[in-house]
Amino acid sequence: MTRIRTVLLPPVLAIVFAALLCAVALLINGDSPLTALRVMVTQVGEGTTAVDIINTGAIYYVAGLAVAIGFQMKLFNIGVEGQFRLAACVAAIAGGALSLPPGLHTLVIILVGAAVGALWASVPALLKAYRGVHEVISSIMMNFIATGVIAYLISTEGFGVLRGNNISTDPIEPTGHFPGISFGASGTIFGFVFLAAALGLAYGFMLNRTRFGFELKASGESPTAAAAGGVDARRMVIVALLLSGAMAGLVGLPELLGRDHAYTLTSPAGYGFTGIAVALLGRNHPVGIALGALLWAFLDKSALALDNVGVPREIVLIMQGSIVLSVVIAYEIVRRYELAAEQRRVAAQLRAVTGVPAEVGS
Amino acid sequence: RDTGGQQQGGGGAAGTECTRNPAPAAAGGAAATPAPIAPNADASALKVGMAYDIGGRGDLSFNDSAAAGLEKAISDLGLVQTNTRELAAAENESEDAAATRLRQLVADGFNPIIAVGFKYATALKAVATENPQVQFAIVDDSTVELPNVTPLVFAEEQGSFLVGAAAALKTKSCQIGFVGGVDTPLIHKFEAGYVAGAKAVAPNIEVDVDYISPAGDFSGFNDSARGTEVARGQLDGGADIVYQAAGASGQGVFEAVNTATKPDAQKLAIGVDSDQYNTVAPPVNEVIMTSMLKRVDVAVFNYINAVAAGATGSLPKAFDLSVDGVGYSTSGGKVDDIADQLDAYKAAIIKGDIKVPSERQ
Amino acid sequence: MTAVETKPAAPVPQARNGRRLPGWARAAIVVAIGVGILAITTTLTGQYQLTSSGTTQAAVRLLLPILFAALGGLWAERSGVINIGLEGMMILGTWGAAWAGFYWGPWAAVIGGLVFGALGGVLHAIATVTFGVNHIVSGVAITLLGMGITQYLAQLIFVPLSRNPRQSPRIEGFETFSIQPLADWLAELEGQQRVLLSDAAGLLGGVVSGLTPLVVLGFLFVPVSYYVLWRSRFGLRLRSCGENPVAAASLGVNVFTYKYLAVIISGGFAGLGGAALTLNPGQLGYLEGQTGGRGYIGLAAMIFGNWRPGGLLAGAALFGYVDGVQLRAGGEAVHALLYATSILAVILAIFWAARRHWRSAAVALAAGLVVYAVYWVIPEVPREFASYAPQLVTLLVLAVASQRLRPPAAVGLEYRRGEGD
Amino acid sequence: MAVADTAPPRGEYAVELAGITKRFPGVVANSDISLRVRRGEVHALCGENGAGKSTLMKILYGMQQPDEGTISVDGEVVHFRSPADAIKAGIGMVHQHFMLADNLTVAENILLGAEGLHGMGATARQRIAELEGTVGLRARPDVLVERLGVADRQRVEILKVLYRGARTVILDEPTAVLVPQEVEELFATLRRMREEGFTFVFISHKLDEVRAIADTVTVIRRGACVGSADPKAVTSRQLAEMMVGSELPSPETRESTVTDRDVLRVTGLTLDAEGGGRPVLDGVDLVVRAGEVLGIAGVEGNGQTELVETIMGMRRASGGTIVLDGKDITRAHTLQRREAGIGYVPEDRTRHGLLATQPLWVNRILGYQSRRPVASGGLLGVLDRAAARRDTERIVEEFDVRTPGVDVPAAALSGGNQQKLVVGRELSGDPVLLIAAHPTRGVDVGAQAGIWDVLRRARAEGLAVLLVSADLDELIGLSDTIKVMLRGRLVADADPATVTPEELGAAMTGADAEGAA
Ligand SMILES: Nc1ncnc2c1ncn2[C@@H]1O[C@H](COP(=O)(O)OP(=O)(O)OP(=O)(O)O)[C@@H](O)[C@H]1O
Ligand SMILES: Nc1ncnc2c1ncn2[C@@H]1O[C@H](COP(=O)(O)OP(=O)(O)OP(=O)(O)O)[C@@H](O)[C@H]1O
Ligand SMILES: [Mg+2]
Ligand SMILES: [Mg+2]
């Protein structure tokens, strides 16, 4: 009961608040909020939108997991963006250059992606652990530098080949693809979606059932208590950021292995930043992140549908921004309220149990 | 480059004397204005869908140019305004968003559908395969080989050759500049043509080539503050004419040229895609000597016309100088004095006497 | 008594009170060394753009938005609030500046940017100070929201004016001016091509010519921030909230009020950064996405500058300078900077050796040799990397210097009324 | 309520607190407390840890608002909404934990909040210079506070109060961090200022000090006022009994269980200070044998905390060796040391002992995450949640932790119960050595006796215990051997069978035995 209140109430409040805000913005603009709502709902049944929401949701999910791993110990890996882009690029190059039996080929590409993501994250990790450089600043710089490295790698002097007006890496042979599930005209669900779900399970297991997860959470909650409990803070910083980077390295792979099969100039960006928002929405919980990812994907697709009927799609950005801000505020308010309530409850229970008033007078 | 020794901060310097080749002899304005590709057909029964690249209408560049083609079809071909829809891409969107946009147009009965920008290539391939009964066209891409897809590609290098030649004819310092927005193959075509044109006129000319951002970082099309600095670097280094192919950053290039222009030292800029003398706000537009025209409007109009006439096969493989798919603008009158020579080069290219490279050397 | 003294206790050493040179003198020496290194490099490599006045001018224009953002970061963090939402506030500022500037001219643009940025600051203050939301989380959310709101407003307001949802109509900018006769005199000196002298004149000349009121304002805010934060009652109280809010509260300082003010001022500065972008001589208008991460870079410059006005100016200047060099002269000039770096490393090595820090000296010398080897081996820094030279430099300097940095003690921590013993 | 006799004429009292009640979630910190402080007196306030002394003073100083009750200053009822109001009314407070900003200068710390008085320029400096003489501060005003020692910091704190022109000064446990000479200097200052008409409220639970300086003493127990007395007319024992209730529990342990097996051997342990300067630990040698309790006495801040944390591996020793049960663990990580058999009751349970928002059973895992029964060990290190829960229930049962269940967050427990949980946990891993730092700090009398009992039993079973405590009775009562720590060195040994707290106190401060008696 309290759990439902603490876990579900804040996001619901936040979404309602954000929706109201958007309704006002729409009215100012002379558009009908109801039309917008109808369009957003009906779009799901049209074309490949439902499948796209799931596919994009899976990408956001992996990105959210990557950010969440860091968040567990209050590390803020804003570098997921650079890690995922570089990893996708290198994985595509490796996948295009290799020819291996099916399955193995895919596996190697995935491993390359994870390794490159971890490698790129290792710079902020080591700088943080040994030089005390704040990971936010270093990973922002690493995001910029990743763009340069990618540009170098896919230039025609590097590994890129000209395809029309685009540059692309060598396409990955079918042996390296990750087969999906086709729904005919409704689209194809990436096979990677299931891997993403498995990653979520692994993340949940890691967090709640393993020593590593425990140490991660303990360091996040109280670095001092964790240190006294034998958790090596420096090692945790490095391992957490490397894991986060490895996870980030997988973000670009659903599309690479399931649809695009090559990295191009127009390969998408921005998933890393979305991952931050999604992790915040989902409170770093594997199920919460999944819901957040789906919500975000749904809103993203809504932008298309709204545009199609002439409603300004910027409304979706406002909605996303205000949801994140109000959801964290709502969680904070509920958390404070619950903490006080909990303390009162324990005191009352103790009174009932021991028969002695917890408040002792003279 | 920048061999000119220590230059003064903002002042221009008299460079080396240019040795200029004479214009090709062909001359005579041959094929300067080719006949229209096809007579106007009746498009009143068509529903035309447009899927623009990032930004959509109002980018003062090739989206606007495409829109102009649509508008011309409305006024000249009887296309009904309410039978058109224009959608635009958002920044950083993924492939499936592009596909969904095309599918929405298909679902709402639009036919033909014109995708503006090579980023639609993959999505278009998928959607066109699913909907063989719908006609598609794609601007700037020729990799989708399907019977119902018409590529609308341009010989940017040819137009760029002409403005390169114009720059070489006009420069006083024998040093000119090129500012590319993002270091991509499409922009390389502009660069390659420009350099070739300049060298064809003045073999010893110096061309400074700079890009605002490397490939994959599309901020270079969108950061005029940096665009200004790149252009200023070239101007301070001795260039007196700068050609920009930098999207919205081009504004910064014009501003830089405008600032560097002193009564005693005229600097000039060359616009791109549309006739920027008419789109850029005065007084800055006064520095625009000419613009390399990439007539997306011509291509779009011709395509709609061809669909209406049921003759998409009649469209040219590439919109080049010969069909006025590319060209240069004359608004402002700054190239009137060299029009003859430019037309001579144009004729030579059309005849095939001059082969313009499309990749940078 | 069975207790036996076994060892005498060591005396408590006296706190070291002595100071070396005053801050401004050390800064002057550092600047002089920098100019010297660049002059030598220019002479030996022929990359005159390294010290041309045009480059300094570019650096000034490029550093201005970063400087404002960094000042914003300074004000917020000195009061104990991390402001990673600077980027979002800056975006709000670009819109506000373009909108106000279009109707009422450049000074209105400055005010518009300030006000819109400050509104972002208000949001951040509400979330972090009142509700105790994690500062970084709130900052990220505000950046998202800032993007959404500006894009919405742009399509609402600017489309009728410019027919373009991503761009405002051109606004009127400031007239530029130079400090005369100094500027002309320096320009002349620069033109004389005298070793060192002309280089110094070039570097300095860029700072005194091609100025706009906003540039002057930006540079003025550095000493003003110093004065207000370190010399005034308001600043003392504000900094105390970032060092030990409980202590401040126990002395009757209203910590909430000061944090609110600081974060709002911070937002205002970020907004001014947005205005600086909008009023940039090359732009003169709002352009979607024109901030391009400058808010984050401002934050890095502030950390680089050890949470001090002079330091953040140095950070922003370094960033702006390297960016200016690479934009104006590309990979060759960045290549020449490698040469300058190796000279710097050798000077550092000598400096440390003189103070008998043998290990640091050895590390500096080794680093210098490595950089020199790179310089020798590659003929030019590839364009792809040259473009991100500023970020690389920032990362390297932070890696070297971060352990000497001293953030405010209570930065990032939540403060609640009535806490502490 | 046994507040002073008849009502005096208005204005005789500098401050009067009447019927103050303050509730926190789950606890009543002050319950209907009344207190009158005569003008020009030193009024001592005594009580155990957690009795509510600081809370009462924070209310008087406007930092917290009372739920009920009134405050009067000079006979006028006042309402303090913030410390600013209290300062205006002439009340100043020196806090138990220093309220100084390390990164600000002495002058800035003093001026903060009082810039209006003399500005921030020369006048202000002049005034500071004048006052520095009064409190005996020798540091320059532009030195950063972080460079000052504790005594100087305290002087800065008092200076802050004086600068604001306070006539009534609250001193919350000012002597806890001072060595005796410094205490004497402080008392001399207080006496001098009392002559000048200042009024002091002086908090301490060191009864000798109270008797030495106070004119009146008020005792608070468990949030309520027990009574006031003339300190000259009561004995320390009587005062102590007022503080803790009727019976005084005793930590006696007499029959020796010391064996000759060395469990912990520390040799030449050195720890350099972070910013250079005098080492925090300077060549510490000690041996703890199985069945032995080795007590470490020392005034706070002399290296005890660092000693414990270095033995635990939370700080890296700069020199020396630590051998546990014959194995050299000098280079081992904290967890390896724990696995080798060290249990650790940290001095600050909220910072070092518990994860406040996590349920009790998760807290059971902390420090044992690699071991049975709560974890399977192995590469993956899978935790056994059911076992953790079961074992937590066992601890709750065995150590009488008062909690509604093992699923409540640790923060919801009272301090004493949190401490019992920590002690229970640290005895669960079959330790060979228990390091207990202030194991009964902030713990009520009943729980205190329980914890002593646990320690005695463990010792009887052959456990080696390293006990650090500020409570000298506890130290003397429980220890088999006592070592005294001063400025990072073990400077003296004492035999608990014969030593008195006074003698020990003298040794802790480096003074002669006669000097302290
Ligand atoms: N802010 C707070 N919120 C909740 N409970 C509090 C708070 N401050 C104090 N308490 C509780 O109020 C009680 C009295 O605390 P207080 O600090 O006044 O004790 P004290 O007598 O000063 O003890 P000590 O001798 O340890 O300083 C304690 O039980 C404490 O846990
Ligand atoms: N700073 C604080 N913030 C919030 N709650 C607190 C704080 N300090 C104490 N409490 C709460 O006050 C209650 C009493 O805690 P406290 O430590 O004062 O108990 P206590 O009365 O001293 O009991 P015990 O005798 O067992 O130590 C607990 O529920 C605790 O959670
Ligand atoms: Mg207290
Ligand atoms: Mg207690």
Side-chain angles (χ1 to χ4, degrees), chain D residues 22 89 173 268 374 463:
Chain D
K22 176 73 182 174
E173 296 201 30
V374 296
L463 185 76

Side-chain angles (χ1 to χ4, degrees), chain B residues 211-276:
Chain B
Y211 286 85
I212 299 171
S213 71
D217 175 358
F218 286 93
S219 70
F221 285 138
N222 215 27
D223 196 335
S224 47
R226 290 157 75 85
T228 320
E229 302 310 340
V230 173
R232 282 194 196 223
Q234 296 182 344
L235 293 163
D236 288 354
D240 61 352
I241 299 178
V242 181
Y243 175 32
Q244 65 88 6
S249 306
Q251 182 73 27
V253 174
F254 296 143
E255 297 282 357
V257 174
N258 186 38
T259 318
T261 296
K262 302 270 149 48
D264 56 333
Q266 172 73 40
K267 312 278 173 173
L268 292 167
I270 300 175
V272 77
D273 287 346
S274 58
D275 185 353
Q276 294 197 294

Side-chain angles (χ1 to χ4, degrees), chain D residues 49-50 349 415-416 442-443:
Chain D
N49 292 124
R349 58 181 167 264
V443 164

